[in-house]
């Protein structure tokens, strides 16, 4: 039993997919997620803005969109995640860490959403970001979220 993980870069600028795939596979192991499929698309600001407005009615790009494709009651993962390269690049530059780490944070955030975490209230966000930090520390990266600039949402 495995999780089929596919990552595609649809943004015009390059992304090192290998720097994302290996740690995401480790995160799946850490979280004991052993079955299913996870598709990740990395897109441009324009593509994300269009999808953001179509799916949530909000103008402008956001960092990550999560689409839980599981049928009700399904135990295996069936997740489609869309990451915005432009938002990630700007935030990574502002925070002084690699683009791949910022994209990894967004992908992990998406995965946690389908694991029952949410960030709509301050207490939910605190709980979710503690879990993100714990998993990123376990990967050896440290708490990437801790000093986020004002988020583009």
């Amino acid at each position: 039993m495995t999780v089929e993980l596919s990552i595609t870069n649809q943004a015009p600028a390059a992304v090192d997919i290998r720097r994302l795939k290996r740690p995401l596979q480790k995160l799946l192991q850490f979280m004991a997620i052993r079955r299913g499929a996870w598709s990740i698309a990395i897109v441009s600001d324009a593509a994300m803005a269009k999808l953001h407005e179509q799916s949530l009615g909000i103008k402008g790009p956001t960092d990550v969109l999560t689409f839980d494709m599981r049928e009700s009651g399904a135990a295996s993962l069936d997740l489609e995640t869309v990451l915005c390269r432009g938002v990630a690049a700007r935030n990574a530059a502002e925070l002084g860490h690699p683009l791949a780490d910022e994209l990894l944070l967004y992908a992990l955030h998406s995965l946690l959403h389908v694991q029952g975490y949410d960030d709509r209230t301050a207490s939910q966000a605190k709980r979710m970001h503690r879990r993100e930090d714990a998993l990123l520390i376990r990967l050896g990266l440290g708490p990437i979220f801790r000093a986020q600039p004002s988020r583009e949402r």
Side-chain angles (χ1 to χ4, degrees):
M1 294 189 284
T2 62
V3 174
E4 182 182 327
L5 175 61
S6 66
I7 305 172
T8 58
N9 180 26
Q10 300 169 11
V15 173
D16 186 353
I17 301 296
R18 291 173 306 188
R19 283 216 44 204
L20 284 174
K21 195 163 192 170
R22 283 189 213 117
L24 288 173
Q25 289 169 327
K26 286 182 182 178
L27 287 170
L28 289 165
Q29 290 174 349
F30 294 162
M31 297 171 72
I33 301 170
R34 294 183 173 83
R35 295 185 303 143
W38 187 8
S39 172
I40 300 172
I42 302 165
V43 301
S44 67
D45 281 335
M48 180 60 95
K50 183 177 179 181
L51 187 57
H52 195 205
E53 187 164 5
Q54 287 173 344
S55 61
L56 297 175
I58 301 171
K59 291 188 182 289
T62 188
D63 48 5
V64 56
L65 289 172
T66 300
F67 301 96
D68 186 350
M69 308 304 287
R70 291 177 297 186
E71 292 186 25
S72 180
S76 63
L77 184 69
D78 192 359
L79 175 59
E80 292 183 11
T81 299
V82 182
L83 309 176
C84 185
R85 189 195 185 285
V87 170
R90 290 187 293 279
N91 286 339
E94 186 174 335
L95 294 168
H97 60 246
L99 171 64
D101 290 356
E102 190 72 10
L103 289 168
L104 178 65
L105 171 65
Y106 299 171
L108 172 56
H109 190 85
S110 178
L111 183 60
L112 287 176
H113 271 300
V114 300
Q115 296 296 305
Y117 288 81
D118 209 339
D119 57 352
R120 293 180 190 205
T121 68
S123 63
Q124 289 173 332
K126 185 176 180 180
R127 176 179 174 260
M128 186 174 200
H129 297 310
R130 271 196 315 262
R131 181 68 172 143
E132 287 170 350
D133 287 348
L135 288 164
L136 293 169
I137 288 167
R138 189 166 176 194
L139 277 177
L141 295 177
I144 297 169
F145 186 83
R146 74 187 182 284
Q148 289 293 348
S150 58
R151 308 293 292 222
E152 297 179 44
R153 293 224 178 236

